[in-house]
């Protein structure tokens, strides 16, 4: 998966009311920013930024939503593929050439979205050529959000709520008539009702606690997995998938550990157990896998333990998986102090990487402490390449996990 040199990019899932992914918004950072060390090449026209990317590698079979300005929209015939979505930035002014370009795109099956719309927007003339209207609900008062929804009630457009960062905001926007949702709400606890953690969730936490023990032997790991027939079945199915299979079929946990190595098996066990014990959308599993695999890939640059970083990525989302506050889940576990500091306080070298990875996946590139990353050997290119590696591995493993769950 190649990207133009000096480009940072990330994808943001857009969900429907059932929290199923409908498309991915692609965000590109092309600003000349000395703090990142990544500068756009002067000879590269802006319109080539997107054309040089292999969009399918980033979004798979889902539609791609790209935020583009007037200058980028007009010269981009390569984007006119069915199912893609072009999002017009708020600063883009309505003009006759733009309207002509939008009409042409829609004839070819491309949908058009307006970004960060409000009722005083200068983009009102573009509404007849628009399929989706995005509203920044984080920076709009609730009465304005409702007013915008009512304004479009009789129009053939879908409303998309942007920056939905809590489940309360998700529910509010859904009741207000929004159909699409983008934001961090899926990575937050849905409810914190004070109920005791379930026995299956407690078992997962204890298993994760054991997996971070570097002294565990092949025999001990195999014995623990063998105690759970469902986990055993799903692990055997997964290690026999095209991702991991090496020659002859793997028919036992002992052989799986022997063939793949203890660290790889630990990684697979952690994600199988978490996804099986928690009734959460598949998208959350993909986010966790992306973050964990990104961190594991970064370990080589920072000279840190890859298994510990992978586990840090998984643990950082346990509050979302289990609908509990993260300290209440982590503090009682016998984890290393370094791992606890990283997950709970984003402290230390592991915490620095975890914090930067979260900011990267959210396209918050200007907030990343690039100087701190440089001190531990991590460059912007390393961050980008590790993120893309995480995306690839996450999708492949998620597909196999989904197949293992359905067949198990």
């Amino acid at each position: 998966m190649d990207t133009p040199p000096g480009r940072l990019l990330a994808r943001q899932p857009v969900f429907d009311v059932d929290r199923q992914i409908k498309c991915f918004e692609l965000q590109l950072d092309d600003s000349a920013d000395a703090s990142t060390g990544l500068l756009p090449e002067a000879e590269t026209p802006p319109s080539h930024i997107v054309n040089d990317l292999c969009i399918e590698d980033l979004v798979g079979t889902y539609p791609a939503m790209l935020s583009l300005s007037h200058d980028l929209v007009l010269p981009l015939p390569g984007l006119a593929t069915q199912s893609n979505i072009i999002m017009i930035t708020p600063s883009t002014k309505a003009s006759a050439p733009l309207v002509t370009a939008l009409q042409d795109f829609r004839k070819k099956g491309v949908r058009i979205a307006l970004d960060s719309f409000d009722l005083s927007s200068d983009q009102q003339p573009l509404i007849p050529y628009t399929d989706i209207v995005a509203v920044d609900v984080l920076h709009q008062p609730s009465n304005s959000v409702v007013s915008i929804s009512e304004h479009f009630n009789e129009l053939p457009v879908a409303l998309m709520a942007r920056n939905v960062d809590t489940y309360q905001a998700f529910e509010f926007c859904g009741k207000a008539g929004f159909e699409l949702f983008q934001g961090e709400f899926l990575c937050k606890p849905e409810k914190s009702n004070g109920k005791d953690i379930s026995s299956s969730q407690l078992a997962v936490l204890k298993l994760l606690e054991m997996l971070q023990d570097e002294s565990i032997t092949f025999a001990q790991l195999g014995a623990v997995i063998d105690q759970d027939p469902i986990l055993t079945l799903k692990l055997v199915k997964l290690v026999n998938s095209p991702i991991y299979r090496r020659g002859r079929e793997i028919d036992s946990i002992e052989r799986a550990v022997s063939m793949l190595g203890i660290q790889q098996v630990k990684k697979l066990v952690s994600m199988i157990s978490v996804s099986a014990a928690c009734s959460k959308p598949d998208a959350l599993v993909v986010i966790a896998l992306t973050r964990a695999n990104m961190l594991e890939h970064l370990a080589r640059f920072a000279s840190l333990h890859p298994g510990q970083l992978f586990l840090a990525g998984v643990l950082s989302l346990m509050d979302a998986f289990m609908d509990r506050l993260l300290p209440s889940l982590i503090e009682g576990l016998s984890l290393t102090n370094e791992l606890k500091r990283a997950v709970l306080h984003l402290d230390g070298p592991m915490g620095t990487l975890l914090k930067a990875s979260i900011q990267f996946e959210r396209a918050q590139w200007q907030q990343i402490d690039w100087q701190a990353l440089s001190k531990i050997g991590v460059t912007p290119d390393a961050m980008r390449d590790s993120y893309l590696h995480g995306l690839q591995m996450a999708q492949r493993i998620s597909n196999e996990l989904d197949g293992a769950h359905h067949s198990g």
Side-chain angles (χ1 to χ4, degrees), residues 326-364:
L326 198 56
S328 67
L329 297 171
I330 301 299
E331 287 176 347
L333 299 179
S334 298
L335 305 175
T336 65
N337 288 333
E338 183 183 14
L339 188 54
K340 281 189 177 181
R341 285 171 53 207
V343 174
L344 293 178
H345 307 295
L346 302 176
D347 193 20
M350 288 177 60
T352 296
L353 280 183
L354 175 57
K355 181 178 180 180
S357 296
I358 294 171
Q359 291 169 328
F360 196 102
E361 70 188 35
R362 295 176 179 175
Q364 297 170 344

Side-chain angles (χ1 to χ4, degrees), residues 66 103 214 254 258-259 280 365:
L66 299 105
Q103 289 174 318
E214 293 302 316
E254 291 76 12
S258 175
M259 292 290 292
K280 290 293 181 175
W365 298 298

Side-chain angles (χ1 to χ4, degrees), residues 167-367:
Y167 268 97
Q168 290 82 357
F170 172 71
E171 293 173 358
F172 172 80
C173 292
K175 291 177 181 177
F178 285 76
E179 301 175 43
L180 300 171
F181 309 86
Q182 178 272 333
E184 300 302 322
F185 68 96
L186 199 68
C187 297
K188 306 286 180 64
E190 185 172 356
K191 298 175 182 177
S192 185
N193 49 25
K195 292 183 180 179
D196 292 337
I197 191 169
S198 69
S199 58
S200 61
Q201 291 176 337
L202 182 61
V204 168
L205 289 175
K206 291 300 181 183
L207 179 59
L208 293 177
E209 179 182 63
M210 183 209 69
L211 292 177
Q212 64 92 42
D213 184 356
E214 293 302 316
S215 65
I216 190 171
T217 65
F218 280 21
Q220 289 172 325
L221 178 60
V224 171
I225 298 172
D226 280 336
Q227 293 175 9
D228 187 334
I230 296 177
L231 175 60
T232 300
L233 175 63
K234 291 178 177 177
L235 180 60
V236 170
K237 287 180 178 293
L238 185 57
V239 298
N240 279 298
S241 71
I243 305 176
Y244 297 105
R245 187 169 176 176
R246 305 288 187 271
R248 59 178 293 190
E249 183 175 358
I250 298 174
D251 55 7
S252 68
I253 297 302
E254 291 76 12
R255 182 163 179 79
V257 175
S258 175
M259 292 290 292
L260 299 182
I262 196 167
Q263 294 301 329
Q264 191 71 266
V265 171
K266 280 183 178 183
K267 182 171 72 173
L268 296 180
V269 168
S270 66
M271 283 313 308
I272 292 173
S273 59
V274 170
S275 60
C278 307
S279 301
K280 290 293 181 175
D282 293 341
L284 183 59
V285 176
V286 173
I287 293 171
L289 281 168
T290 300
R291 185 180 298 179
N293 279 282
M294 177 182 182
L295 285 164
E296 181 186 48
H297 195 264
L298 284 168
R300 67 187 66 185
F301 303 103
S303 300
L304 295 173
H305 193 288
Q308 290 281 295
L309 277 170
F310 184 94
L311 186 56
V314 175
L315 290 173
S316 68
L317 285 163
M318 289 308 294
D319 54 345
F321 277 110
M322 296 190 173
D323 291 326
R324 296 292 189 277
L325 296 178
L326 198 56
S328 67
L329 297 171
I330 301 299
E331 287 176 347
L333 299 179
S334 298
L335 305 175
T336 65
N337 288 333
E338 183 183 14
L339 188 54
K340 281 189 177 181
R341 285 171 53 207
V343 174
L344 293 178
H345 307 295
L346 302 176
D347 193 20
M350 288 177 60
T352 296
L353 280 183
L354 175 57
K355 181 178 180 180
S357 296
I358 294 171
Q359 291 169 328
F360 196 102
E361 70 188 35
R362 295 176 179 175
Q364 297 170 344
W365 298 298
Q366 306 305 321
Q367 298 180 26

Side-chain angles (χ1 to χ4, degrees), residues 64-259:
M65 176 182 286
L66 299 105
S67 296
L68 301 173
S69 66
H70 179 279
D71 291 338
L72 277 172
V73 171
L74 297 182
L76 277 180
L79 269 179
T81 57
Q82 194 168 7
S83 83
N84 279 343
I85 304 166
I86 293 178
M87 178 170 279
I88 308 301
T89 58
S91 59
T92 302
K93 303 296 183 183
S95 68
L98 178 60
V99 168
T100 300
L102 298 186
Q103 289 174 318
D104 185 56
F105 277 132
R106 295 185 81 196
K107 288 178 182 178
K108 295 175 180 177
V110 179
R111 286 173 286 173
I112 306 299
L114 297 181
D115 193 11
S116 300
F117 184 87
D118 62 51
L119 295 178
S120 62
S121 173
D122 294 332
Q123 296 182 330
Q124 293 276 359
L126 300 178
I127 291 175
Y129 315 101
T130 298
D131 304 282
I132 300 170
V133 172
V135 180
D136 186 349
V137 299
L138 182 63
H139 299 102
Q140 291 265 15
S142 57
N143 61 329
S144 295
V145 173
V146 173
S147 296
I148 294 173
S149 176
E150 293 174 346
H151 178 77
F152 287 98
N153 191 37
E154 302 298 326
L155 297 177
V157 299
L159 287 176
M160 171 178 154
R162 178 181 284 286
N163 292 321
V164 182
D165 287 345
T166 66
Y167 268 97
Q168 290 82 357
F170 172 71
E171 293 173 358
F172 172 80
C173 292
K175 291 177 181 177
F178 285 76
E179 301 175 43
L180 300 171
F181 309 86
Q182 178 272 333
E184 300 302 322
F185 68 96
L186 199 68
C187 297
K188 306 286 180 64
E190 185 172 356
K191 298 175 182 177
S192 185
N193 49 25
K195 292 183 180 179
D196 292 337
I197 191 169
S198 69
S199 58
S200 61
Q201 291 176 337
L202 182 61
V204 168
L205 289 175
K206 291 300 181 183
L207 179 59
L208 293 177
E209 179 182 63
M210 183 209 69
L211 292 177
Q212 64 92 42
D213 184 356
E214 293 302 316
S215 65
I216 190 171
T217 65
F218 280 21
Q220 289 172 325
L221 178 60
V224 171
I225 298 172
D226 280 336
Q227 293 175 9
D228 187 334
I230 296 177
L231 175 60
T232 300
L233 175 63
K234 291 178 177 177
L235 180 60
V236 170
K237 287 180 178 293
L238 185 57
V239 298
N240 279 298
S241 71
I243 305 176
Y244 297 105
R245 187 169 176 176
R246 305 288 187 271
R248 59 178 293 190
E249 183 175 358
I250 298 174
D251 55 7
S252 68
I253 297 302
E254 291 76 12
R255 182 163 179 79
V257 175
S258 175
M259 292 290 292

